[in-house]
Amino acid sequence: MKIWANSGDSHLVEPDDLFTTSLPAELADRMPRSVKDDDGTHETLYVDGQEIRRRMPRGAAALKDDQGLSVYERAPGANDMVQRLFDLDGEGIWAELVFPSIGIWMSSIQDPKLLSAGCAAINDWAIEYQRYSERYVCTATIPLLDAEHGVAEVHRAAGLGFKAAYLSVTPGLGALDWNYDIWEPLWAALEETGLVIAFHIGTEAHDASTMHGAYFRGPGGALINYMETTYGGQRAITKMISSGVFDRHPGLKAMVSEGGATWGPFVADRLDEAYRQHSSMVRPQLRRLPSEYLYENVYASFQHDRSAVQAMTAMGWRNVCWGSDYPHIEGTFGHTQKTLHELFDGVDEASVRRMTVGTFEELFPHVPPAPANGTE
Ligand code: MN
C-alpha cells in the first residue's frame, strides 16, 4: 500500500546562473560556486575570495550512489519545479520543507551587504517554486552576520509569502552565538511574522582555515565526519533553550532537519538534570523546565533512522517528522516507499499519521492535505 508523507527536509538545486542573472557582476563573482573534480570525489567551493577544498559534497551532482548514478540521473526533477512534482508523486512525497543547496554556503560570506544581496537573490528565485505549488514550502535564506540584516530579510521574506526561515546552525563568521542578546530582534521578528525556524544540520559557518580543523582525518573519517555534521542542530537548540529564547518567545517553533530524532528526548533530559542539579549557577532562570520547550517548541526530521520512530512512540516527543532529503544522496529518492514501510509497518496508526503528515501540517497549516494512503 502506498504511504503518502510530507517531507521535513528537502532541497532546491539552484541553477548555475542564479547569481549572474540576478546580481551585478561584482557581487555575483563573489557568491558561492562549486566546481567538481572530474572523478566526483572532491569539489572546490569558491566563496567570496576563499577556496574551500572538500570531499563528499553534500548533495552535489558529482556524487554517485551505489548504482553509479548522480542525483540528477536519479531525480530528474531535482532542478525543475514542474518535473519535481512527478518525482514526488512517484515516491509518495506530498509537501516538502525545501532548503537551498549551494545557498547553505552563504554562511561562509563575511561581508554583510554581499550576504544580504545573495540571500535576497536566492529567496526571490525560491519563492517561485512556492508560487507554482503549495506542496513546496520553501525556506527563506536569512543573512546572519548581524541581527539588523537578518531582521530585514525576515520581514521581506514574510512579505513574499515564505512560511519558514532557513537558519544555519551557527550564526555567520565572527558573530556572537545564538545564546547572546544581540539576536533578540531576530527572534522577535520570527515570532511576529510566524515564520518557522528551519535549521539544517551540517551548516556551520566555515572559512577556508576553519574548514580543515572542523573535519577529521584518518581511519573511519567518512563516518566520523558524517556524525560530526549531526551535532550542530542539537547545539543550536541547546543554546536557544538555555538562554531563554523560547521563554521570551513562546510562539517560536524551530525545526532541526536531517539530524534524526532521538537526540530530542536525550537533550531534554540532560538539560533538565543540569537545570535542577546546578540550579545555583543557572543564568537566566527559566519559567519552565528546559524539556518543556524542547518537547513543545522544537521539531525534528529524520529520513532512515529506525530509532526516530521510538522518539515518539516510546519517549513521547510528538514533534517528530519524516523527511526525504530529496534529491540528496543521503535521502530516500528511489526507495522512499520501501523506507516508509520499513519504518512504519506495525506502528500504531495515530503515530504513523503524526510522523508522516500531522507534524508537518501543524507547522504549515496552509498546505493542502496529502492523499489518502493507498491512492496513487
Ligand atoms: Mn537535507
Short mmCIF file of all heavy atoms in Angstrom, two decimals, residues 64-110:
data_model
loop_
_atom_site.label_atom_id
_atom_site.label_comp_id
_atom_site.label_asym_id
_atom_site.label_seq_id
_atom_site.Cartn_x
_atom_site.Cartn_y
_atom_site.Cartn_z
N LYS A 64 28.09 10.02 -6.67
CA LYS A 64 27.36 8.90 -7.26
C LYS A 64 26.84 7.98 -6.17
O LYS A 64 27.47 7.82 -5.14
CB LYS A 64 28.29 8.11 -8.18
CG LYS A 64 29.00 8.95 -9.24
CD LYS A 64 28.12 9.22 -10.42
CE LYS A 64 28.91 9.99 -11.47
NZ LYS A 64 28.22 10.12 -12.73
N ASP A 65 25.72 7.35 -6.43
CA ASP A 65 25.20 6.39 -5.46
C ASP A 65 25.74 4.99 -5.77
O ASP A 65 26.63 4.83 -6.60
CB ASP A 65 23.67 6.44 -5.44
CG ASP A 65 23.04 5.85 -6.69
OD1 ASP A 65 23.79 5.35 -7.56
OD2 ASP A 65 21.81 5.89 -6.80
N ASP A 66 25.19 3.98 -5.10
CA ASP A 66 25.69 2.61 -5.26
C ASP A 66 25.61 2.12 -6.71
O ASP A 66 26.38 1.28 -7.13
CB ASP A 66 24.90 1.64 -4.36
CG ASP A 66 25.12 1.95 -2.90
OD1 ASP A 66 26.10 2.67 -2.61
OD2 ASP A 66 24.33 1.49 -2.07
N GLN A 67 24.63 2.63 -7.44
CA GLN A 67 24.48 2.22 -8.84
C GLN A 67 25.28 3.11 -9.79
O GLN A 67 25.16 3.00 -11.01
CB GLN A 67 23.01 2.25 -9.26
CG GLN A 67 22.18 1.09 -8.71
CD GLN A 67 21.63 1.39 -7.33
OE1 GLN A 67 21.06 2.44 -7.11
NE2 GLN A 67 21.82 0.47 -6.40
N GLY A 68 26.07 4.02 -9.25
CA GLY A 68 26.88 4.88 -10.09
C GLY A 68 26.09 6.01 -10.73
O GLY A 68 26.51 6.60 -11.72
N LEU A 69 24.93 6.34 -10.16
CA LEU A 69 24.10 7.40 -10.73
C LEU A 69 24.24 8.68 -9.91
O LEU A 69 24.28 8.64 -8.69
CB LEU A 69 22.62 6.98 -10.73
CG LEU A 69 22.27 5.74 -11.56
CD1 LEU A 69 20.82 5.36 -11.34
CD2 LEU A 69 22.53 6.01 -13.04
N SER A 70 24.30 9.81 -10.59
CA SER A 70 24.32 11.09 -9.88
C SER A 70 22.90 11.45 -9.47
O SER A 70 21.94 10.85 -9.93
CB SER A 70 24.88 12.19 -10.78
OG SER A 70 23.89 12.58 -11.73
N VAL A 71 22.77 12.45 -8.62
CA VAL A 71 21.42 12.83 -8.18
C VAL A 71 20.55 13.28 -9.34
O VAL A 71 19.35 13.09 -9.32
CB VAL A 71 21.43 13.92 -7.09
CG1 VAL A 71 21.99 13.39 -5.81
CG2 VAL A 71 22.15 15.15 -7.54
N TYR A 72 21.15 13.89 -10.34
CA TYR A 72 20.34 14.34 -11.47
C TYR A 72 19.79 13.16 -12.25
O TYR A 72 18.66 13.17 -12.73
CB TYR A 72 21.15 15.25 -12.41
CG TYR A 72 21.49 16.55 -11.76
CD1 TYR A 72 22.80 16.83 -11.38
CD2 TYR A 72 20.50 17.49 -11.49
CE1 TYR A 72 23.11 18.02 -10.78
CE2 TYR A 72 20.82 18.68 -10.87
CZ TYR A 72 22.13 18.95 -10.52
OH TYR A 72 22.43 20.12 -9.91
N GLU A 73 20.62 12.11 -12.40
CA GLU A 73 20.15 10.92 -13.10
C GLU A 73 19.09 10.20 -12.28
O GLU A 73 18.17 9.61 -12.81
CB GLU A 73 21.34 10.00 -13.41
CG GLU A 73 22.29 10.61 -14.43
CD GLU A 73 23.68 9.99 -14.40
OE1 GLU A 73 24.17 9.64 -13.30
OE2 GLU A 73 24.26 9.88 -15.47
N ARG A 74 19.25 10.25 -10.98
CA ARG A 74 18.30 9.56 -10.11
C ARG A 74 17.00 10.34 -9.99
O ARG A 74 15.93 9.77 -9.92
CB ARG A 74 18.90 9.37 -8.72
CG ARG A 74 20.15 8.52 -8.70
CD ARG A 74 20.87 8.69 -7.39
NE ARG A 74 20.14 8.09 -6.28
CZ ARG A 74 19.74 8.74 -5.22
NH1 ARG A 74 19.96 10.02 -5.10
NH2 ARG A 74 19.10 8.11 -4.27
N ALA A 75 17.10 11.66 -9.89
CA ALA A 75 15.95 12.50 -9.61
C ALA A 75 15.82 13.56 -10.71
O ALA A 75 16.36 14.65 -10.58
CB ALA A 75 16.09 13.16 -8.24
N PRO A 76 15.11 13.23 -11.78
CA PRO A 76 15.06 14.15 -12.92
C PRO A 76 14.44 15.50 -12.60
O PRO A 76 14.68 16.48 -13.31
CB PRO A 76 14.24 13.38 -13.96
CG PRO A 76 13.60 12.25 -13.24
CD PRO A 76 14.43 11.96 -12.04
N GLY A 77 13.66 15.59 -11.52
CA GLY A 77 13.04 16.86 -11.17
C GLY A 77 13.87 17.69 -10.21
O GLY A 77 13.38 18.70 -9.70
N ALA A 78 15.12 17.31 -9.99
CA ALA A 78 15.92 17.96 -8.95
C ALA A 78 16.01 19.48 -9.16
O ALA A 78 16.03 20.23 -8.20
CB ALA A 78 17.32 17.36 -8.89
N ASN A 79 16.07 19.92 -10.40
CA ASN A 79 16.14 21.38 -10.62
C ASN A 79 15.08 21.86 -11.61
O ASN A 79 15.33 22.72 -12.43
CB ASN A 79 17.55 21.79 -11.08
CG ASN A 79 18.04 20.93 -12.23
OD1 ASN A 79 17.29 20.13 -12.77
ND2 ASN A 79 19.29 21.11 -12.60
N ASP A 80 13.88 21.29 -11.47
CA ASP A 80 12.78 21.64 -12.37
C ASP A 80 11.48 21.59 -11.56
O ASP A 80 11.05 20.51 -11.14
CB ASP A 80 12.76 20.65 -13.54
CG ASP A 80 11.61 20.90 -14.51
OD1 ASP A 80 10.58 21.49 -14.10
OD2 ASP A 80 11.74 20.50 -15.68
N MET A 81 10.86 22.74 -11.35
CA MET A 81 9.70 22.79 -10.44
C MET A 81 8.50 22.01 -10.95
O MET A 81 7.64 21.61 -10.17
CB MET A 81 9.32 24.24 -10.14
CG MET A 81 8.78 25.02 -11.31
SD MET A 81 8.19 26.67 -10.80
CE MET A 81 9.74 27.59 -10.63
N VAL A 82 8.41 21.80 -12.26
CA VAL A 82 7.29 21.04 -12.84
C VAL A 82 7.55 19.54 -12.70
O VAL A 82 6.75 18.79 -12.15
CB VAL A 82 7.08 21.44 -14.32
CG1 VAL A 82 5.91 20.66 -14.91
CG2 VAL A 82 6.86 22.95 -14.44
N GLN A 83 8.71 19.12 -13.20
CA GLN A 83 9.08 17.71 -13.17
C GLN A 83 9.20 17.18 -11.74
O GLN A 83 8.91 16.03 -11.45
CB GLN A 83 10.41 17.52 -13.91
CG GLN A 83 10.91 16.09 -13.97
CD GLN A 83 10.01 15.17 -14.78
OE1 GLN A 83 9.44 15.59 -15.79
NE2 GLN A 83 9.84 13.94 -14.31
N ARG A 84 9.62 18.05 -10.86
CA ARG A 84 9.82 17.65 -9.46
C ARG A 84 8.56 17.05 -8.85
O ARG A 84 8.62 16.07 -8.11
CB ARG A 84 10.28 18.88 -8.66
CG ARG A 84 10.65 18.58 -7.22
CD ARG A 84 11.11 19.88 -6.54
NE ARG A 84 11.42 19.64 -5.14
CZ ARG A 84 12.64 19.69 -4.60
NH1 ARG A 84 13.69 20.01 -5.33
NH2 ARG A 84 12.83 19.45 -3.32
N LEU A 85 7.40 17.62 -9.17
CA LEU A 85 6.15 17.09 -8.61
C LEU A 85 5.89 15.66 -9.08
O LEU A 85 5.33 14.85 -8.34
CB LEU A 85 4.96 17.99 -8.98
CG LEU A 85 4.90 19.35 -8.28
CD1 LEU A 85 3.65 20.12 -8.73
CD2 LEU A 85 4.90 19.21 -6.75
N PHE A 86 6.30 15.33 -10.30
CA PHE A 86 6.15 13.94 -10.78
C PHE A 86 7.07 13.01 -9.99
O PHE A 86 6.69 11.89 -9.65
CB PHE A 86 6.44 13.86 -12.28
CG PHE A 86 5.41 14.58 -13.12
CD1 PHE A 86 5.66 15.84 -13.63
CD2 PHE A 86 4.16 13.99 -13.36
CE1 PHE A 86 4.70 16.50 -14.39
CE2 PHE A 86 3.21 14.65 -14.12
CZ PHE A 86 3.47 15.91 -14.64
N ASP A 87 8.29 13.48 -9.73
CA ASP A 87 9.19 12.69 -8.87
C ASP A 87 8.53 12.44 -7.51
O ASP A 87 8.53 11.31 -7.00
CB ASP A 87 10.50 13.45 -8.61
CG ASP A 87 11.46 13.39 -9.80
OD1 ASP A 87 11.12 12.73 -10.80
OD2 ASP A 87 12.54 14.01 -9.71
N LEU A 88 7.98 13.51 -6.93
CA LEU A 88 7.38 13.38 -5.59
C LEU A 88 6.18 12.44 -5.62
O LEU A 88 6.03 11.59 -4.74
CB LEU A 88 6.94 14.76 -5.07
CG LEU A 88 8.02 15.83 -4.92
CD1 LEU A 88 7.45 17.05 -4.19
CD2 LEU A 88 9.23 15.32 -4.17
N ASP A 89 5.34 12.58 -6.65
CA ASP A 89 4.18 11.68 -6.76
C ASP A 89 4.62 10.22 -6.82
O ASP A 89 4.04 9.36 -6.17
CB ASP A 89 3.37 12.02 -8.02
CG ASP A 89 2.57 13.32 -7.85
OD1 ASP A 89 2.42 13.77 -6.70
OD2 ASP A 89 2.11 13.86 -8.88
N GLY A 90 5.65 9.97 -7.61
CA GLY A 90 6.14 8.60 -7.74
C GLY A 90 6.64 8.04 -6.42
O GLY A 90 6.48 6.86 -6.12
N GLU A 91 7.23 8.91 -5.62
CA GLU A 91 7.81 8.47 -4.34
C GLU A 91 6.77 8.39 -3.22
O GLU A 91 7.01 7.75 -2.20
CB GLU A 91 8.91 9.45 -3.91
CG GLU A 91 10.11 9.48 -4.82
CD GLU A 91 10.89 8.18 -4.82
OE1 GLU A 91 11.32 7.76 -3.73
OE2 GLU A 91 11.03 7.57 -5.89
N GLY A 92 5.64 9.09 -3.38
CA GLY A 92 4.67 9.19 -2.29
C GLY A 92 5.00 10.32 -1.33
O GLY A 92 4.63 10.29 -0.16
N ILE A 93 5.72 11.32 -1.84
CA ILE A 93 6.02 12.51 -1.04
C ILE A 93 5.02 13.59 -1.43
O ILE A 93 4.87 13.89 -2.62
CB ILE A 93 7.46 13.00 -1.28
CG1 ILE A 93 8.48 11.89 -0.95
CG2 ILE A 93 7.75 14.26 -0.46
CD1 ILE A 93 9.87 12.15 -1.51
N TRP A 94 4.33 14.16 -0.46
CA TRP A 94 3.33 15.17 -0.76
C TRP A 94 3.97 16.57 -0.68
O TRP A 94 4.55 17.02 -1.63
CB TRP A 94 2.11 15.01 0.17
CG TRP A 94 1.03 15.99 -0.14
CD1 TRP A 94 0.54 16.97 0.68
CD2 TRP A 94 0.30 16.10 -1.38
NE1 TRP A 94 -0.43 17.69 0.04
CE2 TRP A 94 -0.61 17.18 -1.22
CE3 TRP A 94 0.33 15.42 -2.60
CZ2 TRP A 94 -1.48 17.59 -2.24
CZ3 TRP A 94 -0.54 15.82 -3.61
CH2 TRP A 94 -1.42 16.89 -3.42
N ALA A 95 3.91 17.22 0.46
CA ALA A 95 4.51 18.56 0.57
C ALA A 95 5.93 18.44 1.14
O ALA A 95 6.27 17.45 1.79
CB ALA A 95 3.65 19.44 1.46
N GLU A 96 6.72 19.47 0.88
CA GLU A 96 8.11 19.45 1.33
C GLU A 96 8.50 20.77 1.97
O GLU A 96 8.14 21.83 1.47
CB GLU A 96 9.07 19.31 0.14
CG GLU A 96 8.88 18.21 -0.81
CD GLU A 96 9.91 18.33 -1.95
OE1 GLU A 96 9.84 19.29 -2.74
OE2 GLU A 96 10.79 17.48 -2.00
N LEU A 97 9.29 20.71 3.03
CA LEU A 97 10.02 21.87 3.53
C LEU A 97 11.33 21.90 2.76
O LEU A 97 12.12 20.95 2.85
CB LEU A 97 10.28 21.73 5.03
CG LEU A 97 11.07 22.87 5.68
CD1 LEU A 97 10.31 24.19 5.60
CD2 LEU A 97 11.37 22.53 7.14
N VAL A 98 11.53 22.96 1.97
CA VAL A 98 12.62 22.92 0.99
C VAL A 98 13.72 23.93 1.32
O VAL A 98 13.48 25.14 1.39
CB VAL A 98 12.11 23.19 -0.44
CG1 VAL A 98 13.06 22.53 -1.43
CG2 VAL A 98 10.70 22.68 -0.65
N PHE A 99 14.91 23.41 1.54
CA PHE A 99 16.09 24.21 1.82
C PHE A 99 16.84 24.49 0.53
O PHE A 99 16.65 23.81 -0.46
CB PHE A 99 17.02 23.44 2.77
CG PHE A 99 16.48 23.27 4.15
CD1 PHE A 99 15.65 22.19 4.47
CD2 PHE A 99 16.79 24.18 5.16
CE1 PHE A 99 15.15 22.03 5.74
CE2 PHE A 99 16.29 24.02 6.44
CZ PHE A 99 15.47 22.95 6.73
N PRO A 100 17.76 25.46 0.57
CA PRO A 100 18.65 25.64 -0.58
C PRO A 100 19.70 24.54 -0.62
O PRO A 100 19.77 23.70 0.28
CB PRO A 100 19.30 27.00 -0.30
CG PRO A 100 19.24 27.17 1.18
CD PRO A 100 18.03 26.41 1.66
N SER A 101 20.52 24.51 -1.66
CA SER A 101 21.68 23.61 -1.71
C SER A 101 22.97 24.43 -1.66
O SER A 101 23.62 24.50 -0.63
CB SER A 101 21.65 22.73 -2.96
OG SER A 101 20.68 21.72 -2.82
N ILE A 102 23.30 25.11 -2.76
CA ILE A 102 24.51 25.96 -2.72
C ILE A 102 24.30 27.09 -1.70
O ILE A 102 25.26 27.59 -1.11
CB ILE A 102 24.85 26.52 -4.12
CG1 ILE A 102 26.26 27.10 -4.15
CG2 ILE A 102 23.85 27.59 -4.57
CD1 ILE A 102 27.37 26.11 -4.15
N GLY A 103 23.06 27.46 -1.47
CA GLY A 103 22.74 28.53 -0.52
C GLY A 103 23.20 28.22 0.89
O GLY A 103 23.37 29.12 1.72
N ILE A 104 23.41 26.94 1.19
CA ILE A 104 23.90 26.56 2.50
C ILE A 104 25.28 27.17 2.76
O ILE A 104 25.67 27.42 3.90
CB ILE A 104 23.88 25.02 2.62
CG1 ILE A 104 22.45 24.59 2.95
CG2 ILE A 104 24.88 24.51 3.64
CD1 ILE A 104 22.22 23.11 3.03
N TRP A 105 26.02 27.47 1.68
CA TRP A 105 27.36 28.05 1.82
C TRP A 105 27.34 29.55 2.01
O TRP A 105 28.39 30.17 2.19
CB TRP A 105 28.22 27.65 0.62
CG TRP A 105 28.51 26.20 0.70
CD1 TRP A 105 27.79 25.19 0.12
CD2 TRP A 105 29.52 25.58 1.48
NE1 TRP A 105 28.31 23.98 0.49
CE2 TRP A 105 29.37 24.19 1.32
CE3 TRP A 105 30.54 26.06 2.31
CZ2 TRP A 105 30.22 23.27 1.96
CZ3 TRP A 105 31.38 25.14 2.93
CH2 TRP A 105 31.20 23.78 2.75
N MET A 106 26.14 30.14 1.98
CA MET A 106 26.06 31.58 2.23
C MET A 106 26.66 31.94 3.58
O MET A 106 27.16 33.05 3.78
CB MET A 106 24.61 32.06 2.19
CG MET A 106 23.90 31.86 0.86
SD MET A 106 24.73 32.64 -0.52
CE MET A 106 24.27 34.34 -0.21
N SER A 107 26.60 31.01 4.54
CA SER A 107 27.10 31.31 5.89
C SER A 107 28.61 31.55 5.90
O SER A 107 29.14 32.02 6.90
CB SER A 107 26.73 30.19 6.85
OG SER A 107 27.25 28.96 6.41
N SER A 108 29.29 31.24 4.81
CA SER A 108 30.74 31.48 4.77
C SER A 108 31.10 32.86 4.21
O SER A 108 32.28 33.19 4.10
CB SER A 108 31.42 30.39 3.95
OG SER A 108 31.31 29.14 4.62
N ILE A 109 30.09 33.65 3.84
CA ILE A 109 30.34 35.02 3.38
C ILE A 109 30.51 35.93 4.60
O ILE A 109 29.79 35.80 5.58
CB ILE A 109 29.17 35.51 2.49
CG1 ILE A 109 29.15 34.70 1.19
CG2 ILE A 109 29.28 37.01 2.21
CD1 ILE A 109 28.01 35.05 0.27
N GLN A 110 31.48 36.85 4.52
CA GLN A 110 31.78 37.67 5.71
C GLN A 110 31.47 39.16 5.52
O GLN A 110 31.72 39.96 6.41
CB GLN A 110 33.25 37.48 6.10
CG GLN A 110 33.54 36.01 6.41
CD GLN A 110 34.97 35.77 6.84
OE1 GLN A 110 35.46 36.40 7.76
NE2 GLN A 110 35.63 34.85 6.17
#
